[in-house]
Every structure is written in structure tokens, then in C-alpha cells.
């Protein structure tokens, strides 16, 4: 499971626990004798509300080591983390990227374009420099055949990412 999803799940689980604790002490006992829509509404709204507050409260922190958090406010941003400026395709042309997951190589930019081939996870693709939003034209070798097509840049990673 991705780290962000795990944090969110933990935050909403903690929100549910807080809601149940507060509901046990702040509402009349007769409300909880049998399940009803009111109890369900209190649990859902409380878990959502407290979970959202927890996520908002820790938004400026990031994990550093097991069990520790460090504020990102004072942390310098490495220059390698700054994305390439838009409208400058020559900055990505010729720089190889690794495929993050199996990736559809398409005939044109967009999910509705015909799929030419599936590039396997871990393969290397090289952008040609042509871009349309998040879609990059790339060249790659699949099963010994050189192919050129369009891929979503969201599925590409540089070495070390």
C-alpha cells in the first residue's frame, strides 16, 4: 500500500476511534441500544471530520525514520526534485526514464488512442522531446523491436526515484 494511502487510512481509523470514544461519553446510552441511522451518521461524520483534521494537522510533516517526523517547512528542496519547466521539451529529450508499472505505448497522446504495445515494468524509455500536457512521445525497445509512441509521464521514474 502506498504511504499516503496508509497515512490516510490510519488518520480516518483514529478519527473513528475518537468519535466512538466521544459518543460513548457525550450521548445518552439509549441512543446506542440498537443500530439506527442516527448512530451511523454520527460515526461516519465523526470519522470523516476527525480524520480530516488529523490529516490537515500533519500535512506539514513527513516521515524521516521509523516513528519520527520532520517538518518540511525548513527542509531545502533539492534541485533534482524541481520538475522540468513546461514548454521546454528539450530538457527531457534523450534522458532515459524507467517505467514504474506496465505501461501502454499509444499511437497518439490520450487514453483513447490505439495501444501499440505494453512496455513492461522496469523497462527504459527515452523521450523524443515532443509533449502534450502529461503525455510524452518516447522510444523504447520491446521484445527486440524499437517502438515510438506516446505514454503518460506519470508512470515514468528517473533512476533513484
Amino acid at each position: 500500500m502506498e504511504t499516503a494511502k496508509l497515512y490516510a487510512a490510519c488518520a480516518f481509523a483514529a478519527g473513528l476511534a475518537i468519535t466512538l470514544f466521544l459518543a460513548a461519553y457525550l450521548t445518552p446510552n439509549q441512543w446506542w441500544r440498537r443500530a439506527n441511522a442516527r448512530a451511523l451518521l454520527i460515526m461516519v461524520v465523526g470519522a470523516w471530520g476527525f480524520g480530516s483534521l488529523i490529516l490537515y494537522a500533519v500535512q506539514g510533516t513527513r516521515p524521516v525514520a521509523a516513528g519520527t517526523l520532520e517538518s518540511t517547512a525548513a527542509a531545502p528542496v533539492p534541485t533534482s526534485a524541481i520538475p522540468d519547466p513546461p514548454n521546454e521539451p528539450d530538457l527531457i529529450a534523450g534522458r532515459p526514464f524507467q517505467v514504474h508499472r506496465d505501461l501502454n505505448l499509444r499511437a497518439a497522446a490520450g487514453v483513447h488512442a490505439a495501444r501499440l504495445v505494453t512496455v513492461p515494468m522496469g523497462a527504459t524509455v527515452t523521450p523524443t522531446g515532443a509533449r502534450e500536457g502529461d503525455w510524452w512521445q518516447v522510444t523504447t525497445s520491446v521484445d527486440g523491436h524499437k517502438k515510438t509512441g506516446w505514454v503518460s509521464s506519470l508512470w515514468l521514474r528517473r533512476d533513484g526515484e
Side-chain angles (χ1 to χ4, degrees):
M1 183 180 278
E2 293 178 23
T3 306
K5 288 182 182 178
L6 183 62
Y7 286 147
C10 289
F12 288 110
L16 179 61
I18 293 169
T19 300
L20 290 174
F21 178 78
L22 290 175
Y25 288 101
L26 298 177
T27 59
N29 287 339
Q30 65 224 23
W31 280 19
W32 304 100
R33 293 192 194 274
R34 63 178 181 196
N36 57 34
R38 177 178 39 209
L40 180 64
L41 181 67
I42 288 171
M43 286 190 294
V44 169
V45 170
W48 174 78
F50 286 119
S52 296
L53 285 173
I54 292 168
L55 284 176
Y56 179 76
V58 298
Q59 183 177 10
T61 60
R62 65 182 169 101
V64 176
T68 63
L69 293 174
E70 177 183 83
S71 176
T72 58
V77 177
T79 55
S80 63
I82 299 173
D84 294 333
N87 301 325
E88 294 191 29
D90 56 331
L91 292 178
I92 61 163
R95 294 175 57 190
F97 287 82
Q98 278 197 316
V99 175
H100 177 60
R101 291 190 178 168
D102 288 352
L103 181 65
N104 292 325
L105 187 70
R106 298 193 177 268
V111 294
H112 299 295
R115 180 176 47 203
L116 301 174
V117 69
T118 301
V119 180
M121 176 179 68
T124 301
V125 297
T126 305
T128 62
R131 289 168 54 170
E132 287 186 27
D134 286 336
W135 290 87
W136 295 356
Q137 187 181 44
V138 298
T139 59
T140 187
S141 179
V142 178
D143 296 330
H145 298 96
K146 188 173 181 178
K147 299 280 186 180
T148 300
W150 291 84
V151 298
S152 173
S153 63
L154 302 176
W155 298 104
L156 304 177
R157 301 286 185 265
R158 289 193 180 126
D159 289 337
E161 281 188 34

